[in-house]
Coordinates of all heavy atoms in Angstrom, one line a residue:
Y10 N -13.4 32.5 162.6 CA -12.6 33.3 163.5 C -12.2 34.6 162.8 O -11.8 34.6 161.7 CB -11.3 32.6 163.9 CG -11.6 31.3 164.8 CD1 -11.9 30.1 164.4 CD2 -11.4 31.4 166.2 CE1 -12.0 29.0 165.2 CE2 -11.6 30.4 167.1 CZ -11.9 29.2 166.6 OH -12.1 28.1 167.4
A21 N -11.4 42.4 158.3 CA -12.1 41.6 159.3 C -13.7 41.7 158.9 O -14.1 42.7 158.7 CB -11.9 42.2 160.7
Y22 N -14.3 40.6 159.0 CA -15.7 40.5 158.8 C -16.4 39.3 159.3 O -15.7 38.3 159.6 CB -16.0 40.6 157.2 CG -15.6 39.4 156.5 CD1 -16.3 38.3 156.2 CD2 -14.2 39.5 155.8 CE1 -15.8 37.2 155.5 CE2 -13.8 38.3 155.1 CZ -14.5 37.3 155.0 OH -14.1 36.2 154.2
T26 N -24.1 34.2 157.5 CA -24.5 32.7 158.0 C -23.2 32.0 157.9 O -22.2 32.3 157.2 CB -25.5 32.1 157.0 OG1 -25.0 32.1 155.7 CG2 -26.8 33.0 157.1
L59 N -10.8 22.6 166.2 CA -11.6 21.7 167.1 C -12.5 21.0 166.2 O -13.3 21.5 165.4 CB -12.3 22.6 168.2 CG -12.9 21.7 169.2 CD1 -11.9 21.3 170.3 CD2 -14.1 22.4 170.0
I63 N -20.6 13.9 166.6 CA -22.1 13.8 166.7 C -22.4 12.4 167.3 O -21.8 11.4 166.8 CB -22.8 14.0 165.4 CG1 -22.5 15.4 164.9 CG2 -24.3 13.9 165.7 CD1 -22.9 16.6 165.8
R65 N -25.7 11.2 168.2 CA -27.2 10.7 168.1 C -27.8 11.4 166.9 O -27.3 12.4 166.3 CB -28.0 11.2 169.3 CG -28.1 12.6 169.7 CD -28.6 12.9 171.1 NE -30.0 12.5 171.2 CZ -30.7 12.7 172.2 NH1 -30.2 13.3 173.3 NH2 -32.1 12.3 172.3
P71 N -33.1 22.7 168.1 CA -33.0 24.0 168.6 C -31.5 24.1 169.3 O -31.0 23.3 169.9 CB -34.0 24.0 169.8 CG -34.9 22.8 169.4 CD -34.1 21.8 168.7
R73 N -30.6 25.5 172.0 CA -30.5 25.3 173.4 C -30.4 23.8 173.7 O -30.0 23.4 174.8 CB -31.7 25.9 174.1 CG -33.0 25.2 173.8 CD -34.2 26.0 174.5 NE -35.5 25.3 174.3 CZ -36.3 25.6 173.2 NH1 -35.9 26.2 172.2 NH2 -37.4 24.9 173.1
Y76 N -26.2 20.7 172.7 CA -25.2 20.0 173.5 C -25.5 18.6 173.7 O -24.7 17.8 174.1 CB -25.0 20.7 174.9 CG -26.2 20.5 175.8 CD1 -26.2 19.5 176.8 CD2 -27.4 21.3 175.8 CE1 -27.2 19.2 177.7 CE2 -28.4 21.1 176.7 CZ -28.3 20.0 177.6 OH -29.4 19.8 178.5
A97 N -10.9 29.0 143.1 CA -12.3 28.8 143.2 C -13.1 29.9 143.8 O -14.2 30.3 143.3 CB -12.6 27.5 144.1
K108 N -10.9 21.2 149.3 CA -11.1 20.9 150.6 C -11.4 19.4 150.9 O -11.1 18.9 152.1 CB -12.3 21.6 151.2 CG -12.0 23.1 151.5 CD -11.3 23.4 152.7 CE -11.3 24.8 153.2 NZ -10.5 24.9 154.4
E124 N -15.2 14.6 180.4 CA -13.8 14.8 180.9 C -13.3 16.2 181.0 O -12.7 16.7 181.9 CB -12.7 13.8 180.3 CG -12.8 12.4 180.5 CD -11.7 11.6 179.8 OE1 -10.6 12.3 179.6 OE2 -11.8 10.4 179.7
F139 N -7.0 25.3 172.4 CA -6.4 24.3 171.6 C -5.1 25.0 170.9 O -5.2 26.2 170.7 CB -7.3 23.6 170.7 CG -8.1 24.5 169.7 CD1 -7.5 24.4 168.4 CD2 -9.2 25.2 170.0 CE1 -8.1 25.3 167.4 CE2 -9.7 26.0 169.0 CZ -9.2 26.0 167.8
K143 N 3.9 22.9 164.8 CA 4.6 22.4 163.6 C 6.0 22.2 163.9 O 6.8 23.2 164.2 CB 4.3 23.4 162.4 CG 5.1 22.9 161.1 CD 4.8 24.0 160.0 CE 5.6 23.7 158.7 NZ 5.4 24.9 157.8
N144 N 6.6 21.1 163.7 CA 7.9 20.8 164.0 C 8.4 21.3 165.3 O 9.6 21.8 165.5 CB 8.9 21.3 162.9 CG 8.4 20.7 161.5 OD1 8.1 19.5 161.4 ND2 8.6 21.5 160.5
F152 N -8.9 29.6 170.8 CA -9.8 29.6 171.9 C -11.2 29.6 171.3 O -11.7 30.5 170.5 CB -9.7 30.9 172.7 CG -10.7 31.1 173.9 CD1 -10.7 30.1 174.9 CD2 -11.4 32.2 174.0 CE1 -11.7 30.2 175.9 CE2 -12.4 32.4 175.0 CZ -12.4 31.3 176.0
A162 N -24.6 26.8 167.9 CA -25.3 27.4 166.8 C -25.0 26.7 165.5 O -25.9 26.6 164.6 CB -24.8 28.9 166.8
S168 N -28.4 21.4 161.1 CA -29.6 20.4 161.3 C -30.8 20.8 160.6 O -31.8 20.1 160.3 CB -29.8 20.0 162.7 OG -30.3 21.1 163.4
Y170 N -30.8 21.6 157.5 CA -30.6 21.1 156.1 C -30.1 19.7 156.0 O -30.3 19.0 154.9 CB -29.6 22.0 155.4 CG -29.9 23.5 155.5 CD1 -29.2 24.3 156.4 CD2 -30.9 24.1 154.8 CE1 -29.5 25.7 156.4 CE2 -31.3 25.5 155.0 CZ -30.5 26.1 155.8 OH -30.9 27.5 156.0
L173 N -28.5 15.0 161.1 CA -27.2 14.6 161.7 C -27.3 13.2 162.3 O -28.4 12.8 162.8 CB -26.8 15.6 162.9 CG -26.7 17.0 162.4 CD1 -26.3 17.9 163.6 CD2 -25.7 17.3 161.3
T175 N -25.2 9.7 164.1 CA -24.2 9.2 165.0 C -22.9 8.9 164.2 O -22.9 8.2 163.2 CB -24.5 7.9 165.7 OG1 -25.7 8.1 166.5 CG2 -23.4 7.4 166.6
L196 N 3.2 17.6 162.5 CA 2.1 18.4 163.1 C 1.5 17.8 164.3 O 1.2 16.5 164.4 CB 1.0 18.7 162.1 CG 1.5 19.4 160.8 CD1 0.4 19.3 159.8 CD2 1.8 20.8 161.1

Side-chain angles (χ1 to χ4, degrees):
Y10 288 83
Y22 64 92
T26 58
L59 190 81
I63 301 300
R65 60 191 295 187
R73 67 183 183 278
Y76 72 95
K108 285 285 193 179
E124 285 187 18
F139 62 97
K143 177 183 174 183
N144 300 326
F152 175 58
S168 71
Y170 308 103
L173 301 184
T175 300
L196 300 168

